[in-house]
Amino acid sequence: MPDSHATPGKLAIVNHLGPDSFKPDGLRPFFEYRPLGLDTLTGGKVGAHVIRARPGMHADAPRHTHALTFQFIYVLKGWAIFEYDGYGEHKLVPGSTVYQPPGIKHKEIAHSDDFEVLEITMPAEFETATVE
């Protein structure tokens, strides 16, 4: 039977991540990322992060796409405004969900200092490309 007990530093089916688990080394410098370990537990098939704004830093990313098969976002705190190709601008607030179809062109326009989301992707690692 696999080890299902939470042990510091070891991933299992139950994990407890402390406040120091956010890292500033993700896709965007104005966010901090808390990896949830699904990449390791699924052999890279699924990725999951809690992503939060770095207070005082604002969105400054070009319009882009991601090369993945699935991306889902659930807003936990704060707000953000995103623009999605063919769908226009949308203000996301706590409880908002976003299914980003593969390859959709999008751009973040603004976010609050307390913006925080849960993001789930397939696969865990994927390419991001700037588009016009």
Side-chain angles (χ1 to χ4, degrees):
M1 182 164 145
D3 180 8
S4 63
H5 300 285
T7 305
K10 181 181 174 196
L11 288 173
I13 65 166
V14 175
N15 298 286
H16 302 283
L17 302 173
D20 62 342
S21 63
F22 280 94
K23 307 294 181 215
D25 57 350
L27 180 62
R28 304 287 178 215
F30 45 85
F31 287 142
E32 294 179 319
Y33 299 80
R34 172 187 275 169
L36 301 180
L38 286 182
D39 55 340
T40 301
L41 294 169
T42 65
K45 293 178 185 171
V46 180
H49 291 87
V50 174
I51 303 169
R52 70 180 181 191
R54 294 179 70 186
M57 298 187 77
H58 301 285
D60 183 25
R63 191 171 164 84
H64 60 279
T65 63
H66 302 296
L68 40 63
T69 59
F70 179 81
Q71 184 174 20
F72 179 81
I73 296 164
Y74 178 77
V75 179
L76 300 166
K77 297 179 187 175
W79 59 267
I81 299 172
F82 278 81
E83 180 270 322
Y84 299 97
D85 191 37
Y87 296 90
E89 287 186 14
H90 292 271
K91 185 173 185 179
L92 309 179
V93 297
S96 294
T97 63
V98 179
Y99 165 68
Q100 287 189 185
I104 191 170
K105 296 175 185 176
H106 62 284
K107 176 180 174 61
E108 182 189 347
I109 297 172
H111 63 259
S112 63
D113 277 349
D114 63 342
F115 182 59
E116 190 170 306
V117 299
L118 169 66
E119 177 187 62
I120 300 170
T121 64
M122 294 173 66
E125 297 290 325
F126 53 88
E127 295 292 321
T128 296
T130 299
V131 295
E132 299 208 14

